[in-house]
């Protein structure tokens, strides 16, 4: 299970949906005007019952279980010193005292669902279904159980952690299988059917409608845009298929949101359009391809949007540009706001990472951006996204006590920063850089020496030791430069500024901060 917002996010899903036809509605006619909406006749083949559909599809849906070994430290659960006391007087079994730090092997497992996509035994499921349940666990075996209760030991062909997909292979032939459908044609309100293995009960069929499309959820990947359904989905449905009324797989049931851990009508499936290319790559023994241009990003939240004079939730801010990467070669710079990729707007539903990942590797793609208030378009040659291991970087959060001297606090730059931002700043000297344990000695900026707890800067999380690299894209190497940048913003009558903040050795981030009222 996953937990979302402190609410259970179990990995599973299902659904079904009805068809409505909305007639032409004039600009000044109510959407629900009598006669404006008509209930369409069911599409050809739409059943009065799902029985025939379920009977045809269930043989291709499988149960998946794993056996796992988990190394845990030997622990009686008693306070220190009491274990020997209770053992001596018969309260505990007499087990050998092999020393502190010993481990024992416990057995565990997992249950989920999957479906067969070829007669020779290729099976699709979620990666989390066949992954170790916790740190220190090892998957010893994976078992696939067909609807006729035949069991097969499965081989892991490949997995893709980013999309939470895995491909298995069992040694069998002439198996029932199902095909992927076109999830791009799925509409909110369409009927869907989910088949899976909730709570280990075996083949279970539920039906519902598509509640929403392109959903993002906490805990999901940056490339995930889920189909939401109200079909009953519970623990164990993970990896099972979501079907349309024609019996095509349009999604893989993956997650749910629930305050209780059980179904409350909010389940999610990975759409087939995202599943197919990943499974095809894994089946061919290749790594799934995803477009990549080499940037780090920040959403355009209200604070940042206000500081730039832009609408929020339209576009994403370039926090950093990878040296020598595709974005840098195309001329994209730190501080640019990307608003469209290949003609598609960048929004919370369709983020820059999501849109770029969908572009073919090697393709030349126009990217529209805003720089210093002006729109321009650059063309980027999309590269292949590195593995997560290749992207991983060491980072630190060095902290030190930084305090401005009385003389520094009297400077015009210091005074302006206190009065405008609610922080006291001083020049980042080599001595301060060493105290902050900065790896990069070329960093230039002003370091925060104190923060007014009642200021917006404090509310945004700024703290002593943070380094302000720029204000509204203007470098701030001294308190005087910081003051000048703030005054330039005030001259435009804006009420907030955009700070580029570095904390220790972590990558810089942008923060929108309200100016202190005068």
């Amino acid at each position: 299970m996953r937990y979302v917002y402190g609410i259970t996010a179990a990995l599973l899903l299902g659904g079904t949906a009805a068809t409505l036809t909305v007639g032409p509605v004039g600009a000044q006619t109510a959407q629900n005007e009598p006669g404006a909406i008509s209930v369409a006749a069911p599409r050809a083949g739409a059943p009065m019952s799902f029985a025939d559909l379920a009977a045809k599809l269930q043989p291709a849906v499988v149960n998946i279980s794993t056996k796992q070994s988990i190394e845990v430290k030997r622990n009686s659960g008693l306070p220190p010193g009491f274990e020997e006391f209770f053992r001596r007087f018969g309260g505990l079994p007499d087990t050998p005292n092999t020393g502190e730090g010993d481990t024992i092997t416990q057995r565990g497992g997992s249950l989920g669902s999957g479906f067969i996509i070829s007669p020779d035994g290729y099976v699709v499921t979620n990666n989390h279904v066949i992954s170790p349940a916790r740190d220190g666990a090892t998957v010893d075996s994976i078992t696939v159980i067909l609807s006729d209760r035949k069991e097969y030991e499965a081989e892991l062909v490949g997995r893709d952690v980013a999309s939470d997909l895995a491909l298995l292979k069992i040694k069998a032939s002439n198996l029932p299988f199902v095909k992927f459908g076109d999830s791009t044609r799925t509409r909110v309100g369409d009927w869907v059917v989910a088949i899976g293995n909730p709570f280990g009960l075996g083949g279970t069929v539920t039906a519902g409608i598509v509640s929403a499309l392109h959903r993002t959820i906490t805990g999901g990947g940056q490339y995930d845009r889920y189909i939401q359904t109200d079909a009953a989905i519970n623990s164990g449905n993970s990896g099972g298929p979501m079907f349309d009324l024609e019996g095509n797989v349009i999604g893989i049931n993956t997650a749910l949101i629930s305050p209780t851990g059980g179904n409350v009508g909010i389940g999610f499936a990975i759409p087939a359009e995202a599943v197919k290319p990943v499974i095809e790559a894994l089946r061919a023994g290749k790594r799934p391809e995803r477009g990549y241009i080499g940037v780090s990003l920040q959403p355009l939240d209200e604070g940042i949007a206000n500081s730039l004079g832009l609408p929020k939730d339209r576009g994403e801010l370039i926090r950093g540009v990878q040296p020598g990467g595709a974005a840098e070669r195309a001329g994209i710079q730190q501080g640019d706001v990307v608003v469209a990729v290949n003609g598609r707007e960048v929004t919370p539903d369709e983020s820059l990472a999501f849109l770029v990942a969908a572009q073919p590797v090697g393709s030349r793609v126009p990217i529209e951006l805003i720089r210093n208030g002006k729109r321009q378009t650059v063309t980027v040659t999309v590269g292949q996204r590195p593995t997560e291991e290749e992207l991983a970087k060491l980072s630190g959060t060095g902290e030190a006590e930084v305090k401005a001297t009385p003389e520094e606090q009297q400077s015009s730059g210091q005074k302006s920063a206190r009065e405008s931002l609610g922080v006291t700043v001083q020049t980042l000297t080599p001595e301060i850089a060493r105290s902050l344990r900065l790896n990069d000695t070329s960093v230039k900026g002003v370091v925060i020496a104190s923060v007014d707890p009642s200021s917006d800067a404090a509310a945004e999380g700024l703290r002593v030791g943070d380094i302000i690299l720029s204000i509204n894209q203007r470098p701030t190497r001294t308190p005087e430069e910081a003051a000048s940048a703030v005054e330039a913003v005030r001259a435009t009558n804006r009420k907030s500024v955009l700070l580029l903040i570095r904390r220790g050795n972590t990558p810089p981030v942008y923060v929108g901060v309200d100016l202190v009222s005068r």
Side-chain angles (χ1 to χ4, degrees):
M1 278 200 187
R2 292 177 180 167
Y3 292 87
V4 179
Y5 305 116
I7 306 174
T8 307
L11 310 161
L12 12 101
L13 173 57
T16 356
T19 308
L20 295 178
T21 300
V22 181
V25 180
Q28 299 188 11
T29 303
Q31 293 298 107
N32 58 349
E33 188 74 22
I37 301 176
S38 60
V39 178
R43 295 200 308 265
M48 294 296 293
S49 165
F50 295 108
D52 291 340
L53 190 65
K56 191 70 175 178
L57 299 174
Q58 272 190 299
V61 182
V62 301
N63 297 341
I64 297 175
S65 62
T66 67
K67 291 182 179 179
Q68 303 187 17
S69 300
I70 307 172
E71 297 293 327
V72 297
K73 288 186 177 181
R74 186 186 298 274
N75 182 8
S76 67
L78 295 171
F82 278 78
E83 182 174 342
E84 182 60 30
F85 174 86
F86 279 99
R87 179 177 290 113
R88 181 177 300 178
F89 291 96
L92 288 173
D94 190 11
T95 55
N97 185 5
T98 54
E100 187 176 349
D102 283 356
T103 61
I104 58 175
T105 301
Q106 295 182 346
R107 303 298 178 186
S110 63
L111 292 172
S113 307
F115 56 98
I116 305 169
I117 60 169
S118 68
D120 58 345
Y122 281 96
V123 177
V124 175
T125 187
N126 282 135
N127 178 58
H128 73 262
V129 170
I130 50 87
S131 294
R134 51 173 285 185
D135 291 342
T138 302
V139 176
D140 300 321
S141 65
I142 304 171
T143 301
V144 170
I145 307 173
L146 275 56
S147 61
D148 61 5
R149 300 190 182 280
K150 289 183 179 178
E151 297 188 10
Y152 298 88
E153 186 167 345
E155 169 197 356
L156 176 61
V157 177
R159 69 171 87 220
D160 182 51
V161 176
S163 61
D164 192 20
L165 295 172
L167 181 64
L168 310 177
K169 179 70 168 65
I170 60 176
K171 294 180 179 179
S173 59
N174 298 319
L175 294 172
F177 67 98
V178 289
K179 299 184 298 182
F180 288 106
D182 183 2
S183 60
T184 62
R185 300 174 59 188
T186 301
R187 302 173 63 199
V188 174
D190 281 347
W191 282 103
V192 289
V193 174
I195 304 178
N197 180 32
F199 301 113
L201 292 173
T204 298
V205 180
T206 57
I209 66 167
V210 173
S211 303
L213 299 170
H214 301 113
R215 280 287 196 235
T216 59
I217 61 175
T218 299
Q222 60 180 318
Y223 313 115
D224 295 328
R225 297 298 180 272
Y226 298 100
I227 299 172
Q228 181 182 329
T229 182
D230 68 349
I233 302 302
N234 287 288
S235 180
N237 275 109
S238 289
M242 170 189 280
F243 295 104
D244 62 19
L245 291 191
E246 296 174 353
N248 296 311
V249 179
I250 60 167
I252 295 183
N253 305 326
T254 298
L256 65 81
I257 292 179
S258 170
T260 63
N263 170 63
V264 294
I266 305 178
F268 302 93
I270 306 172
E273 62 192 282
V275 175
K276 284 179 65 177
V278 172
I279 295 303
E280 289 170 358
L282 295 178
R283 190 169 178 177
K286 300 178 180 178
R287 180 160 63 93
E289 287 191 346
R290 291 187 179 88
Y292 180 74
I293 61 173
V295 294
S296 55
L297 305 165
Q298 279 188 251
L300 215 60
D301 62 20
E302 186 171 5
I304 293 176
N306 288 341
S307 69
L308 294 173
L310 298 172
K312 70 173 183 176
D313 296 333
R314 286 294 181 270
E316 283 190 270
L317 184 64
I318 301 297
R319 190 181 71 188
V321 180
Q322 181 182 13
E328 185 184 64
R329 293 195 299 270
I332 293 177
Q333 300 176 9
Q334 183 184 62
D336 289 346
V337 176
V338 176
V339 293
V341 176
N342 208 17
R344 294 173 65 176
E345 285 192 357
V346 176
T347 67
D349 288 340
E350 294 199 329
S351 66
L352 178 59
F354 174 75
L355 293 174
V356 168
Q359 306 301 317
V361 174
S363 61
R364 290 173 55 80
V365 175
I367 291 182
E368 186 177 351
L369 55 86
I370 298 174
R371 180 182 300 162
N372 298 324
K374 297 180 180 178
R375 285 181 178 258
Q376 57 182 280
T377 300
V378 299
T379 300
V380 180
T381 301
V382 178
Q384 159 73 326
R385 180 177 174 81
T387 64
E388 298 304 315
E389 291 76 14
E390 292 168 339
L391 288 172
K393 294 181 179 179
L394 294 175
S395 63
T397 56
E399 299 179 17
E401 183 176 355
V402 181
K403 188 174 293 186
T405 64
E407 293 78 11
E408 290 172 321
Q409 292 185 19
Q410 298 305 315
S411 73
S412 60
Q414 285 285 355
K415 182 178 179 182
S416 178
R418 287 199 312 273
E419 294 178 349
S420 299
L421 298 176
V423 299
T424 299
V425 299
Q426 65 182 99
T427 301
L428 178 64
T429 64
E431 292 76 16
I432 294 176
R434 282 194 295 271
S435 71
L436 293 172
R437 300 192 294 276
L438 296 182
N439 295 333
D440 185 358
T441 58
S442 65
V443 174
K444 302 294 182 185
V446 291
V447 62
I448 295 176
S450 66
V451 181
D452 181 351
S454 63
S455 66
D456 188 56
E460 291 295 336
L462 270 63
R463 65 192 193 194
V464 173
D466 287 347
I467 302 167
I468 303 176
L469 302 175
S470 69
I471 297 178
N472 270 43
Q473 315 298 350
R474 292 178 56 170
T476 52
R477 291 160 294 193
T478 66
E480 287 69 31
E481 287 184 346
S484 176
V486 170
E487 291 308 310
V489 174
R490 283 197 183 276
T492 65
N493 293 321
R494 288 187 185 168
K495 297 182 179 180
S496 58
V497 295
L498 184 67
L499 308 182
L500 182 59
I501 301 294
R502 174 165 175 161
R503 178 169 294 166
N505 293 306
T506 58
V509 296
Y510 284 100
V511 180
V513 174
D514 291 343
L515 294 173
V516 177
S517 299
R518 287 182 175 175

